[in-house]
């Protein structure tokens, strides 16, 4: 026996905001397109990617520490307005999805953990 377990390893990435390691599926991939940071929730856009928790705290930390230009290896500041809008919208959808009661009296929980 090789000593390996049969369970597949879950890929991990580091959040550029809080610097904590987390499962790749729990983080939002960010790419740079024409000088702007854009969310890549499906992880299919070309180019170098950086990962951040889809929370405004981690996003604010990353912007304040200038983590995006460093992660993407570019000079100067990057526009993160679209990214902030996406994170706020995702937080609003999560609040609505989990906070409203269903007809049966239980809270509504989506079958998918991430927004597309």
């Amino acid at each position: 026996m090789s000593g390996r377990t049969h369970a597949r390893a879950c890929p991990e990435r580091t959040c550029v905001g809080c610097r904590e390691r987390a499962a790749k599926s729990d983080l939002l991939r960010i790419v740079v397109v024409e000088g702007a940071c854009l969310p890549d929730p499906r992880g299919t856009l070309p180019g170098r990617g950086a990962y951040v928790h889809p929370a405004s705290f981690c996003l604010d930390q990353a912007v304040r520490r200038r983590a995006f230009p460093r992660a993407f290896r570019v000079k100067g500041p990057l526009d993160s307005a679209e990214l902030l809008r996406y994170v706020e919208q995702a937080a609003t959808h999560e609040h609505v999805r989990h906070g409203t009661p269903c007809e049966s009296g239980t809270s509504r929980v989506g079958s998918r953990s991430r927004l597309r």
Side-chain angles (χ1 to χ4, degrees):
M1 302 253 344
S2 65
R4 292 185 181 182
T5 61
H6 294 289
R8 301 198 97 199
C10 179
E12 287 188 344
R13 301 291 184 265
T14 301
C15 172
V16 296
C18 65
R19 304 293 299 159
E20 289 185 14
R21 292 185 62 81
K24 182 179 174 182
S25 60
D26 294 339
L27 298 171
L28 176 65
R29 183 173 187 259
I30 312 300
V31 295
V32 172
V33 177
E34 298 177 1
C37 292
L38 298 178
D40 183 17
R42 293 183 184 208
T44 57
L45 293 177
R48 179 176 290 277
Y51 291 84
V52 68
H53 286 107
S56 59
F57 173 77
C58 287
L59 180 59
D60 292 340
Q61 286 283 96
V63 170
R64 188 172 54 219
R65 293 164 63 224
R66 299 181 190 110
F68 290 128
R70 189 169 40 255
F72 294 119
R73 299 180 184 170
V74 296
K75 299 266 187 205
L78 295 171
D79 181 24
S80 59
E82 180 67 29
L83 185 56
L84 181 60
R85 204 170 14 256
Y86 179 86
V87 169
E88 288 173 349
Q89 183 182 18
T92 302
H93 282 124
E94 284 294 314
H95 176 68
V96 169
R97 222 173 40 183
H98 293 294
T100 58
C102 291
E103 295 78 23
S104 65
T106 61
S107 64
R108 186 179 302 160
V109 176
S111 62
R112 298 182 187 234
S113 62
R114 292 185 341 195
L115 297 175
R116 291 186 179 211

